[in-house]
Amino acid sequence: MINQEKITLVKDTIDNSDIDNLIEWLKTYPRLTQGNRVREFEEQWSKWVGCKYSVFVNSGSSANLLMLAAILELYNLRNKLVVVPSLGWATDLAPVMQLGFKPLLVDVDTSNLAVDVDHLEQIFKDQKPAAMLLVSVLGLSPRMGEIVSLCKKYNVILLEDNCESQGTKYNGVKLGNFGLMSAFSTYFGHTMSTIEGGMVCTNDKAVYDMLKQLRSHGWDRDLDSDSQKELRNKWNVSEFSSLYTFYVPGFNVRSTDLQAVIGMKQLEKVDEMITQRHKNFQLFKEKLSPYTWFPQEVSGSYTASFCIPIIANKKKKKQEIVKELLSKNVECRPLICGSMGTQPFYIKKYGRVELPNVTKIDACGLYIPNHPKLTEEEIERMCNCIIDVVTDYGQRENMGEQ
């Protein structure tokens, strides 16, 4: 068999024009740390997302960390219980544990890989958590209307992890605008890239000010003059002393002007990249849905697809699909973290937790590439790998099969 070119999970979104633009900026011999370019990027990002305020940080993981730290500092929480999806990334769960919250794992909706709304409401009723961190998995929109209503009904602070879903919309509104705060990632492999990076968005000025303090040690240097004056008067701090005065236990998770320069150029073309991801998703759906499980888009949503999830009806069949993909030189991965409740770092602290839907997904799930540079031939090749295995078994995939 002729070796086929490898279909990789991602291809770099940073192209020659981005690098040339960066080089021209570097020739001005600018200060490279956080500065005016970061602030410009934050303003442009806010305009693109549709929020009032954005804070640029060094990763989407740090964005999650800051969101949780901010509610600890700002609110008299009724408890330290936080709902975390059982399907997500390690740093959805890790900062909850690191900051002394107790995570409550919620099962998965097998139609769209977001939280199971019925299980979520049961947790809200029984446990009365203070907050939840909602993950929009692989560019798929959760049932945002129902989830927002439940959070309001049970007085739960909603935080959105939108790291995999930049550009996904629900009823015409971009995800990232439904909770108190939202997190995004601009990591190398994500929708757009600053190499490493992340963003926290909010419409609340007090939250915005807290995020800026938490990002940089806990000092007030990044605040506007009125906010600085208020803090300094409250604590009787002189202008000179303010240079090394820390009001909250902060971090150092800043990004740099260098990355912001890349980010602003990426924003110029991100809509085009999102459109191509969506077109690819529809093509995958057309080819795969007659043969196998395929995620259902929530009514009224627009999918800025990150990768394509595949869920076989048996673990053995998943293994055959993986084998076939690898033999055809196609990269694939487990379906994110599988089940959070079976990850070693969770088990060591809380013991093993098995939830029915995510257990099935963990055993039978994987994902395959979707990025703007995929060709139709490459999409056809990936789909044929999956269809060949499914038809070999002589039955259609069905999430209800054991």
Side-chain angles (χ1 to χ4, degrees), residues 60-101:
S61 298
S62 293
N64 285 341
L65 177 68
L66 287 199
M67 290 196 298
L68 290 157
I71 65 171
L72 265 183
E73 290 296 324
L74 286 170
Y75 298 102
N76 183 21
L77 301 173
R78 61 174 174 249
N79 56 46
K80 296 189 76 174
L81 302 177
V82 177
V83 176
V84 181
S86 55
L87 181 68
W89 191 243
T91 47
D92 293 309
L93 178 59
V96 173
M97 298 166 64
Q98 291 158 346
L99 291 170
F101 290 102

Side-chain angles (χ1 to χ4, degrees), residues 66-171:
L66 287 199
M67 290 196 298
L68 290 157
I71 65 171
L72 265 183
E73 290 296 324
L74 286 170
Y75 298 102
N76 183 21
L77 301 173
R78 61 174 174 249
N79 56 46
K80 296 189 76 174
L81 302 177
V82 177
V83 176
V84 181
S86 55
L87 181 68
W89 191 243
T91 47
D92 293 309
L93 178 59
V96 173
M97 298 166 64
Q98 291 158 346
L99 291 170
F101 290 102
K102 181 180 178 181
L104 303 172
L105 297 181
V106 60
D107 207 356
V108 177
D109 182 333
T110 55
S111 68
N112 60 31
L113 303 182
V115 296
D116 182 299
V117 172
D118 292 334
H119 189 215
L120 180 65
E121 182 165 20
Q122 194 61 52
I123 291 174
F124 282 2
K125 284 180 180 178
D126 295 344
Q127 303 291 326
K128 298 178 175 56
M132 84 167 290
L133 183 60
L134 176 65
V135 181
S136 302
V137 175
L138 300 182
L140 298 162
S141 175
R143 291 155 62 179
M144 294 304 303
E146 295 170 69
I147 292 167
V148 169
S149 294
L150 286 175
C151 287
K152 289 179 179 177
K153 179 179 178 180
Y154 293 98
N155 192 27
V156 175
I157 296 170
L158 176 60
L159 307 172
E160 297 179 69
D161 176 350
N162 205 44
C163 290
E164 295 179 349
S165 301
Q166 183 183 349
T168 294
K169 298 176 186 177
Y170 176 80
N171 286 345

Side-chain angles (χ1 to χ4, degrees), residues 27-79:
K27 286 179 180 177
T28 68
Y29 302 96
R31 183 177 177 179
L32 296 178
T33 187
Q34 178 182 291
N36 289 333
R37 295 295 184 174
V38 165
R39 287 185 281 277
E40 290 175 31
F41 182 38
E42 289 170 339
E43 290 171 3
Q44 291 182 21
W45 182 278
S46 295
K47 183 177 180 181
W48 185 86
V49 170
C51 66
K52 289 183 180 179
Y53 310 111
S54 297
V55 176
F56 190 35
V57 293
N58 60 8
S59 71
S61 298
S62 293
N64 285 341
L65 177 68
L66 287 199
M67 290 196 298
L68 290 157
I71 65 171
L72 265 183
E73 290 296 324
L74 286 170
Y75 298 102
N76 183 21
L77 301 173
R78 61 174 174 249
N79 56 46

